[in-house]
Structures are given as structure tokens and as C-alpha cells.
């Protein structure tokens, strides 16, 4: 997982005293986790704690206090058992979005393959017939008939 790797690298920098290099990594991890998982997710709160701890080590007490206040507000507003429901519904929503994206990409890939094959077969895509049926002539005598619904049949004239 990229965020885990970023977090581990930031921790390593922090252990080495390379605070200026650790800070942007911790910040990015926190912002991405907030955006992807929400404030109440179990992975978001530890990210906030790590950044608070780093701020304290850097002597950035104002930033640490501000973030700690945010941390406390989120904890106070935490939905408790409702968190699991929100997390699950968000995961389900993300899952559905990934499925939808996969379907869209699959359709694009299939269309691209079909168009490639049509070009390779030398089929012309120019002739239209009445009632929406498309007739495509093939240079070797085959004809591709496509209905408006997208169903296509390749017939050989040989």
C-alpha cells in the first residue's frame, strides 16, 4: 500500500532527525486518508497523531496544538458504532465506483479491439441503409451488418 510505505518512510526520516523531509510525507498521508477514508476511519487518527508528534519534536507547538484540537473535535464528534456503518457504506460506495469504472474501461477496450479488427479485415464503415441498419463492405467480399442495438453479423459473399 502506497500510504503505508509513505508513512514508513516518514517514520524513518523522523527517527533519523530529518524532520523537514518527514513532515510533507506525514501531511500527504493524512490528507489522502482524510479524503479517501474520512476523519473517523481507524487509519486516519494515527496519521494525525504522528504529525502532532512530529510538530512537537520540531518545536512547532502552534501547529501541534491546532492539529490536536482538530483531533479532539473529531474524537468528540466520532459516531462510535455508527463509524462502522459509515465505513462499510463508504467502502461499498467505493467498490461500486470501482466496478463502474472497470465496466467503462472494459467497454472502451472491447470497442477498441473491434475497431482494430475491422480495420485489419479491411471493412469500410461508410454505407448506411434505411431503418438504422448499417452495412459495411469488406474488400474480400464479406459484409458486416450492424443493427442499431449494436448486434453485428459478418456474412461472407463467397
Amino acid at each position: 500500500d502506497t500510504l503505508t510505505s509513505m508513512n514508513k518512510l516518514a517514520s524513518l526520516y523522523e527517527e533519523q532527525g530529518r524532520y523537514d523531509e518527514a513532515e510533507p510525507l506525514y501531511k500527504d498521508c493524512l490528507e489522502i486518508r482524510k479524503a479517501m477514508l474520512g476523519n473517523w476511519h481507524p487509519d486516519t487518527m494515527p496519521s494525525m497523531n504522528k504529525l502532532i508528534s512530529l510538530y512537537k519534536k520540531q518545536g512547532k507547538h502552534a501547529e501541534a496544538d491546532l492539529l490536536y484540537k482538530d483531533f479532539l473535535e473529531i474524537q468528540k464528534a466520532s459516531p462510535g458504532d455508527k463509524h462502522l456503518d459509515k465505513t462499510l457504506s463508504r467502502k461499498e460506495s467505493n467498490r461500486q465506483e470501482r466496478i463502474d469504472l472497470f465496466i467503462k474501461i472494459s467497454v472502451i477496450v472491447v470497442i477498441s479491439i473491434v475497431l482494430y479488427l475491422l480495420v485489419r479485415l479491411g471493412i469500410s464503415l461508410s454505407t448506411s441503409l434505411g431503418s438504422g441498419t448499417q452495412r459495411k463492405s469488406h474488400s474480400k467480399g464479406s459484409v458486416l451488418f450492424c443493427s442499431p442495438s449494436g448486434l453485428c453479423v459478418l456474412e461472407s459473399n463467397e
Side-chain angles (χ1 to χ4, degrees):
D1 170 55
T2 303
L3 289 176
T4 302
S5 298
M6 286 174 63
N7 223 12
K8 287 181 181 181
L9 181 59
S11 292
L12 177 66
Y13 287 160
E14 182 180 358
E15 288 171 17
Q16 294 174 342
R18 298 163 61 183
Y19 302 141
D20 291 338
E21 294 172 80
E23 183 180 342
L25 291 173
Y26 278 143
K27 281 182 177 179
D28 288 346
C29 284
L30 177 59
E31 292 307 312
I32 292 169
R33 283 196 167 117
K34 279 183 176 181
M36 288 178 59
L37 306 172
N39 289 336
W40 298 287
H41 193 275
D43 290 341
T44 303
M45 302 302 276
S47 293
M48 290 182 84
N49 270 333
K50 288 181 181 190
L51 188 55
I52 290 167
S53 174
L54 179 69
Y55 283 152
K56 287 179 182 177
K57 288 180 182 178
Q58 290 175 301
K60 296 182 176 182
H61 299 291
E63 287 93 336
D65 288 343
L66 247 167
L67 192 56
Y68 189 67
K69 286 177 184 176
D70 287 346
F71 180 87
L72 290 176
E73 287 300 314
I74 290 169
Q75 267 192 327
K76 286 179 189 175
S78 177
D81 291 338
K82 293 179 186 174
H83 162 70
L84 186 58
D85 293 338
K86 283 187 176 181
T87 301
L88 291 175
S89 66
R90 183 166 180 101
K91 281 184 180 179
E92 184 60 32
S93 173
N94 287 342
R95 181 177 179 271
Q96 187 59 47
E97 288 172 10
R98 287 192 307 268
I99 290 170
D100 292 345
L101 180 61
F102 176 78
I103 290 170
K104 288 176 185 175
I105 290 171
S106 297
V107 167
I108 291 170
V109 168
V110 168
I111 289 171
S112 298
I113 291 170
V114 168
L115 290 175
Y116 170 78
L117 291 173
L118 290 174
V119 169
R120 290 287 292 175
L121 291 172
I123 296 174
S124 163
L125 302 176
S126 60
T127 311
S128 286
L129 299 176
S131 74
T133 302
Q134 298 285 322
R135 177 181 180 268
K136 284 88 176 174
S137 302
H138 184 278
S139 61
K140 296 179 182 170
S142 296
V143 178
L144 182 68
F145 291 95
C146 295
S147 71
S149 67
L151 178 65
C152 295
V153 177
L154 183 62
E155 292 182 6
S156 177
N157 290 338
E158 297 174 4

